[in-house]
Amino acid sequence: SYKPIEHIVLDPGSTDGSRNIARYYRHVTLIEEPDEGQGDAVGTGIEMAKGDVIAWLNSDESYYDNDVFKSVATLFDEADDEIIYGDGIFLSGEGETIRDVYVNKHPDTLSWRFQQEDGIFQPALFFRRSVPEKIGLPSKYLEYCMDYEYWIRAMKAGLKFRYVPQKFAKAYFHSDNKTLGQRGKSYQQVCEMLFDQFGYV
């Protein structure tokens, strides 16, 4: 319900028909090439994006409904926030709602709560182009927590976050999901990242 929208799809080698879907839509820019992981792909997409507001989805995520972009654009027009984030839901592999995603609804507490939790649902976050211009791109070396580390860098740089009590995104929660299926590796990397950022875990 909002235009113009720019869709950039980075696919290092899917064999499940994803590329054919992307090719079907003329407005999609499909990049079919190997990458150095999720962070590298997201960074490439951010660098390619021409829009004033940027966001990214992973393959098991979607936006909540067709009005999300319109709502987000209106919110950015109303204020000078550089980062806006909202709520979301977890779905089962069959598409059944499991529960609401936990989100920190008080961005004024991020400076200390980031030291013990993420509290932001990555697909439900949108940021102005000025954010990567100020703090660079997400790390391509963090496979499990590049988004969490990116929010910490934004907070440390003094960028303005705004929470909106509106559902912006959905994520499918299943055993093949990277964060759930590889929980031990995920926790280990989060702990290492937090130690680097704050000096303790």
Side-chain angles (χ1 to χ4, degrees):
S1 61
Y2 184 83
K3 293 182 180 181
I5 295 293
E6 178 185 36
H7 293 263
I8 302 170
V9 177
L10 292 107
D11 189 319
S14 292
T15 58
D16 61 356
S18 299
R19 290 182 171 189
N20 290 333
I21 295 171
R23 289 189 194 105
Y24 178 80
Y25 295 96
R26 292 183 179 180
H27 67 283
V28 171
T29 300
L30 174 61
I31 307 299
E32 303 176 72
E33 61 185 24
D35 56 47
E36 297 178 41
Q38 180 185 4
D40 182 43
V42 170
T44 298
I46 291 172
E47 287 186 311
M48 291 178 62
K50 301 179 182 68
D52 298 320
V53 176
I54 301 171
W56 80 83
L57 289 177
N58 300 307
S59 59
D60 53 1
E61 299 162 348
S62 66
Y63 290 113
Y64 191 75
D65 59 36
N66 290 335
D67 292 323
V68 167
F69 295 137
K70 185 176 181 180
S71 298
V72 169
T74 300
L75 290 165
F76 275 111
D77 285 342
E78 291 174 350
D80 61 352
D81 307 284
E82 291 173 283
I83 300 171
I84 290 176
Y85 68 98
D87 294 316
I89 59 172
F90 283 130
L91 303 174
S92 69
E94 293 72 41
E96 300 291 326
T97 299
I98 299 174
R99 63 176 173 86
D100 289 346
V101 177
Y102 166 73
V103 171
N104 178 356
K105 301 179 182 351
H106 305 283
D108 57 314
T109 67
L110 291 176
S111 62
W112 62 269
R113 287 179 68 174
F114 271 156
Q115 299 179 43
Q116 50 196 284
E117 65 177 19
D118 184 346
I120 289 180
F121 186 37
Q122 172 262 310
L125 181 143
F126 299 79
F127 54 89
R128 293 187 190 272
R129 168 167 298 285
S130 59
V131 171
E133 291 172 351
K134 291 178 179 178
I135 67 169
L137 299 171
S139 171
K140 65 181 180 181
Y141 303 107
L142 296 174
E143 185 176 357
Y144 301 97
C145 60
M146 64 160 191
D147 52 340
Y148 188 2
E149 190 260 1
Y150 201 55
W151 317 148
I152 291 172
R153 282 162 51 197
M155 176 273 297
K156 285 184 170 183
L159 304 188
K160 190 174 178 183
F161 287 75
R162 178 183 179 188
Y163 163 73
V164 177
Q166 181 176 337
K167 287 185 171 66
F168 286 153
K170 309 172 186 178
Y172 289 90
F173 211 51
H174 48 83
S175 59
D176 293 332
N177 176 286
K178 184 172 66 175
T179 304
L180 177 62
Q182 303 178 45
R183 206 63 171 160
K185 292 179 181 179
S186 173
Y187 276 133
Q188 180 178 345
Q189 189 172 89
V190 167
C191 288
E192 291 169 353
M193 180 274 291
L194 289 174
F195 189 83
D196 288 341
Q197 289 292 332
F198 299 112
Y200 80 103
V201 178

